[in-house]
């Protein structure tokens, strides 16, 4: 089962948008997602285009761009807009907590069942929030327990 199929099975529907790393999704995958799920908006950074190419290479690139699937063209247009870039940038807000949680041994779920999984996730979220708040206080020059007055 593909990833989108797993998400649809778990949530009972297809998500409205998909945020993906630049190296995690290919142009072919964006095109096929657009063909099979036209309502799905993909947010992934545009690949950096090399500027030091020959005139023949530039003609080839322009030809490839003209023949791209409609879904890829729409994705390029969307990702050129500032609003789409802002949506993708918000992704960074979760990357740091996810990395910290994974470094605390949360690579695999140690329990089974929704209630147990939710409980473990909440414990990790609380741990992250408490340790993050302590770091913020230290940077501000206050000890934990001081209210700043």
């Amino acid at each position: 089962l593909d990833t989108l199929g797993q998400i649809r099975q778990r949530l009972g529907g297809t998500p409205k948008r998909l945020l993906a790393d630049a190296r995690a999704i290919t142009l072919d995958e964006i095109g096929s997602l657009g063909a099979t799920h036209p309502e799905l908006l993909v947010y992934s950074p545009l690949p950096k285009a090399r500027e030091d190419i020959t005139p023949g290479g530039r003609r080839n690139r322009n030809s490839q761009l003209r023949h791209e699937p409609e879904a890829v063209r729409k994705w390029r247009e969307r990702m050129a807009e500032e609003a789409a870039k802002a949506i993708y940038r918000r992704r960074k807000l979760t990357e740091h907590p996810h990395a910290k949680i994974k470094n605390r041994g949360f690579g695999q779920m140690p329990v089974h069942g929704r209630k147990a999984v939710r409980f473990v996730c909440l414990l990790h979220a609380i741990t992250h929030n408490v340790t993050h708040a302590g770091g913020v206080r230290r940077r501000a020059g206050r000890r934990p327990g001081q209210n700043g007055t």
Side-chain angles (χ1 to χ4, degrees):
L1 197 58
D2 66 332
T3 304
L4 200 55
Q6 290 177 14
I7 293 169
R8 189 178 19 222
Q9 183 180 9
R10 290 176 186 154
L11 300 178
T14 305
K16 292 184 175 85
R17 62 186 183 186
L18 174 73
L19 278 69
D21 283 336
R23 294 180 303 259
I25 192 165
T26 65
L27 294 179
D28 290 338
E29 290 169 332
I30 291 172
S32 65
L33 281 172
T36 57
H37 305 331
E39 72 286 351
L40 180 68
L41 299 176
V42 176
Y43 294 90
S44 181
L46 293 168
K48 299 211 180 342
R50 286 183 40 207
E51 296 300 322
D52 61 337
I53 60 174
T54 64
R58 191 169 306 282
R59 280 192 303 276
N60 286 344
R61 180 188 294 166
N62 290 338
S63 174
Q64 288 173 345
L65 289 173
R66 279 194 307 274
H67 293 94
E68 282 182 332
E70 182 67 22
V72 175
R73 268 187 258 148
K74 286 181 179 179
W75 165 73
R76 285 187 189 280
E77 291 169 6
R78 180 173 47 256
M79 289 311 297
E81 296 172 1
E82 204 51 46
K85 291 176 187 175
I87 288 171
Y88 187 78
R89 273 194 305 266
R90 284 195 333 225
R91 183 176 172 272
K92 287 191 292 189
L93 298 175
T94 61
E95 287 298 317
H96 191 243
H98 287 165
K100 285 189 172 241
I101 288 170
K102 191 169 183 180
N103 289 336
R104 289 188 193 112
F106 195 57
Q108 276 190 315
M109 186 58 66
V111 296
H112 299 284
R114 276 194 176 166
K115 285 184 179 181
V117 168
R118 177 171 278 156
F119 180 74
V120 171
C121 290
L122 286 172
L123 281 177
H124 277 282
I126 291 167
T127 302
H128 170 76
N129 289 343
V130 168
T131 57
H132 182 71
V136 169
R137 283 191 191 101
R138 278 191 299 281
R139 285 190 296 278
R142 296 190 307 262
R143 289 191 312 270
Q146 289 181 323
N147 63 6
T149 57

